[in-house]
Amino acid sequence: MDHRTPAPAPDRRRAVRGRLPLVLALALLGGGCTGGVEGTPGAAGLRDPYFPGLGNGGYDVTHYGLELDVDPAADRLRGTATITARATQDLSAFHLDLAGLEVAGATVEGRPAAVNRAGRELTLRPASAVEDRLREGRTFTVVVRYSGSPETVTDPDGSKEGWLRTADGAVALGEPAGSMAWFPGNHHPSDKATYDIGITVPEGLAGISNGELVSRRTANGRTAYRWRAAEPMASYLVTVAVGRFTTRESVTPDGIRLFTAVDPRSAAASADVLARIPEVLAWSAKRFGPYPFTSAGAIVERAGDSSYALETQNRPVFPGPPDTALLVHELAHQWFGNSVTPASWRDMWLNEGFATYAEWLWAADHEGVPVRESFEAAYADDANWAFPPAEPPTAAELSEPPVYGRGAMAVHRVRLAMNDDRAFFALIKGWTSAHRHANASTDDFTAHVEEETGQDLAALWDAWLYGGSRPPTGAGEP
């Protein structure tokens, strides 16, 4: 996601949570007790370089069905999560990430499952009668019923994620771990899934989410919205926005369904920029390859409801009316971050470096600012040299300038090394095509570039991705 205020200055992501508890499943289950189910417990974390307890092992989620009943006046959420997953090992138990909220009960394959809660880890121990469905390679279904007042998570730099209360409702923003504040799941970017999301809200309010609007029905003073995201999505890119919105639906000349939801207080100031969404998508497709989703759009809150923008899949969330540069940045993330999703949070520069470079390309094509000038401005900014973009020191630095500015400089150094713009943009299109709706790492990217160019670019990577100091502008050229 991108956490920027809607101003011409470069966006700065918020810092991210530094540590989540890593709970050992065997300890939770009392040694090796499996309740008669063969197999071993799935891991309570995926050992991400910055968030070792985030995510869970032993299974891969393929689909989430979320039914959410939201009462903003009472600050209450009632939810039912139906999770379809495939076992990647023989499982006796497995974990789900969930922050706060009270779990009323859970089933696995329709049978009640024992639930153990330890901080932000739920451990589900299914009945022995379903053990065959938990063997490696088998698909199984989990249902969790829960309720409560969702958490607003405060990050180390003071910015907030999770469930954010707004003047007339709430907005859910989830990078890197805030999505666990409102639904249980496997909340690491490496486990992408499709989603069906139902949101029931008081009549007069809207419930906006990702993907395409399937239905909207009002009865007995409540309105139920149903959304479907048919392409895989990382959980940090899922959003829910509840409030009073002016909505608009249309279709681009390329057949992409657009849905925008704008707080009435932001509508007039947003209109001109949002009208450029089809233009920005078409321009981006020429440079990065076909748009990877069937729908697009935006959610614009009133200023102050959140402090940053986020590239939530299909329709980014903006904290007030965006400028064109911010729109370009967030829509570029639909390719870089949303379709091609980082394998771990160490790879976040692949999201932000490319989205920042998209701003430079737009400025060159539409504002008469050569990419060279944008590069030189970033090169001269001392903030971009605080640490290597591919190796932030801690989770608190994942949102700092080097991930954006120096990441974009690394992309431009690849372009200079190739010395062929047509080949460079073909390489980028090949990258987005090869990893469409999948995950990729920094190593994947550097290998892709070297394979496509036939060049050994170790000096370039050392200088611009991993170096500890500012290299001469000529450094990194083969």
Side-chain angles (χ1 to χ4, degrees), residues 209-289:
S209 191
N210 310 80
E212 298 181 7
L213 181 62
V214 177
S215 66
R216 173 173 42 202
R217 296 186 178 91
T218 298
N220 301 318
R222 308 281 288 174
T223 302
Y225 291 78
R226 306 200 68 82
W227 299 86
R228 176 164 297 153
E231 297 97 356
M233 175 165 55
S235 62
Y236 79 90
L237 297 168
V238 185
T239 190
V240 164
V242 174
R244 299 186 186 280
F245 292 100
T246 299
T247 63
R248 184 172 182 178
E249 299 180 61
S250 61
V251 179
T252 73
D254 296 327
I256 301 166
R257 295 177 62 176
L258 297 184
F259 187 101
T260 58
V262 184
D263 186 288
R265 295 192 181 185
S266 297
S270 300
D272 289 345
V273 171
L274 296 185
R276 303 191 76 174
I277 290 176
E279 175 191 1
V280 174
L281 291 176
W283 173 86
S284 300
K286 290 180 180 178
R287 282 144 187 81
F288 310 138

Side-chain angles (χ1 to χ4, degrees), residues 395-415:
E397 281 80 34
L398 284 177
S399 302
E400 292 300 306
V403 176
Y404 292 75
R406 193 169 167 188
M409 282 187 273
V411 174
H412 190 59
R413 297 308 302 188
V414 172
R415 183 178 180 180

Side-chain angles (χ1 to χ4, degrees), residues 315-337:
R315 55 189 52 84
V317 174
F318 297 99
D323 60 21
T324 303
L326 184 56
L327 180 71
V328 169
H329 188 110
E330 302 306 331
L331 291 182
H333 272 306
Q334 305 306 307
W335 284 262
F336 306 105

Side-chain angles (χ1 to χ4, degrees), residues 29 93 114 131 137 141 173 217 225 229 289 304 329 368 382 422 433 443 478:
L29 295 173
E131 64 177 274
T141 300
L173 303 177
R217 296 186 178 91
Y225 291 78
H329 188 110
D382 291 342
R422 180 175 296 181
S433 174
D443 286 346

Side-chain angles (χ1 to χ4, degrees), residues 20-46:
L20 295 175
L22 180 59
V23 182
L24 296 178
L26 288 174
L28 287 172
L29 295 173
C33 178
T34 66
V37 181
E38 296 182 5
T40 56
L46 295 180

Side-chain angles (χ1 to χ4, degrees), residues 13 64 75 83 87 92 110 156 194 198 206 218 248 258 288 296 322 349 368 377-378 397 400 409 419 451 457:
R13 281 196 196 236
Y64 289 91
D75 193 22
I83 303 169
S92 62
T194 57
T218 298
R248 184 172 182 178
L258 297 184
F288 310 138
W349 81 270
E397 281 80 34
E400 292 300 306
M409 282 187 273
N419 196 30
E451 180 178 356
L457 298 174

Side-chain angles (χ1 to χ4, degrees), residues 77-353:
L77 166 69
R78 287 190 296 113
T80 300
T82 302
I83 303 169
T84 305
R86 182 182 59 83
T88 57
Q89 66 179 65
D90 289 349
L91 287 170
S92 62
F94 56 90
H95 293 259
L96 297 171
D97 302 316
L98 182 66
L101 301 173
E102 180 180 349
V103 176
T107 63
V108 177
E109 287 296 285
R111 299 289 189 102
V115 179
N116 187 297
R117 187 72 177 264
R120 292 174 173 174
E121 294 285 347
L122 292 181
T123 304
L124 272 62
R125 186 172 68 240
S128 59
V130 301
E131 64 177 274
D132 284 345
R133 299 308 301 262
L134 297 179
R135 297 190 184 279
E136 182 178 359
R138 299 296 298 273
T139 296
F140 60 96
T141 300
V142 182
V143 178
V144 181
R145 294 177 291 110
Y146 58 99
S147 63
S149 177
E151 288 187 4
T152 295
V153 178
T154 301
D155 291 321
D157 67 348
S159 58
K160 299 181 185 298
E161 62 166 323
W163 192 263
L164 307 181
R165 279 73 183 173
T166 64
D168 55 1
V171 60
L173 303 177
E175 184 182 289
S179 50
M180 70 169 69
W182 56 280
F183 71 96
N186 196 11
H187 291 288
H188 188 269
S190 61
D191 193 357
K192 302 171 72 169
T194 57
Y195 285 76
D196 282 285
I197 301 175
I199 310 167
T200 301
V201 295
E203 187 176 359
L205 300 183
I208 312 300
S209 191
N210 310 80
E212 298 181 7
L213 181 62
V214 177
S215 66
R216 173 173 42 202
R217 296 186 178 91
T218 298
N220 301 318
R222 308 281 288 174
T223 302
Y225 291 78
R226 306 200 68 82
W227 299 86
R228 176 164 297 153
E231 297 97 356
M233 175 165 55
S235 62
Y236 79 90
L237 297 168
V238 185
T239 190
V240 164
V242 174
R244 299 186 186 280
F245 292 100
T246 299
T247 63
R248 184 172 182 178
E249 299 180 61
S250 61
V251 179
T252 73
D254 296 327
I256 301 166
R257 295 177 62 176
L258 297 184
F259 187 101
T260 58
V262 184
D263 186 288
R265 295 192 181 185
S266 297
S270 300
D272 289 345
V273 171
L274 296 185
R276 303 191 76 174
I277 290 176
E279 175 191 1
V280 174
L281 291 176
W283 173 86
S284 300
K286 290 180 180 178
R287 282 144 187 81
F288 310 138
Y291 182 67
F293 305 108
T294 57
S295 61
I299 300 170
V300 182
E301 294 281 1
R302 70 181 72 183
D305 280 348
S306 65
S307 60
Y308 52 82
L310 179 62
E311 66 270 20
T312 43
Q313 194 155 302
N314 310 114
R315 55 189 52 84
V317 174
F318 297 99
D323 60 21
T324 303
L326 184 56
L327 180 71
V328 169
H329 188 110
E330 302 306 331
L331 291 182
H333 272 306
Q334 305 306 307
W335 284 262
F336 306 105
N338 296 13
S339 177
V340 184
T341 303
S344 79
W345 287 113
R346 177 174 286 159
D347 306 304
M348 200 168 88
W349 81 270
L350 285 168
N351 298 9
E352 300 304 343

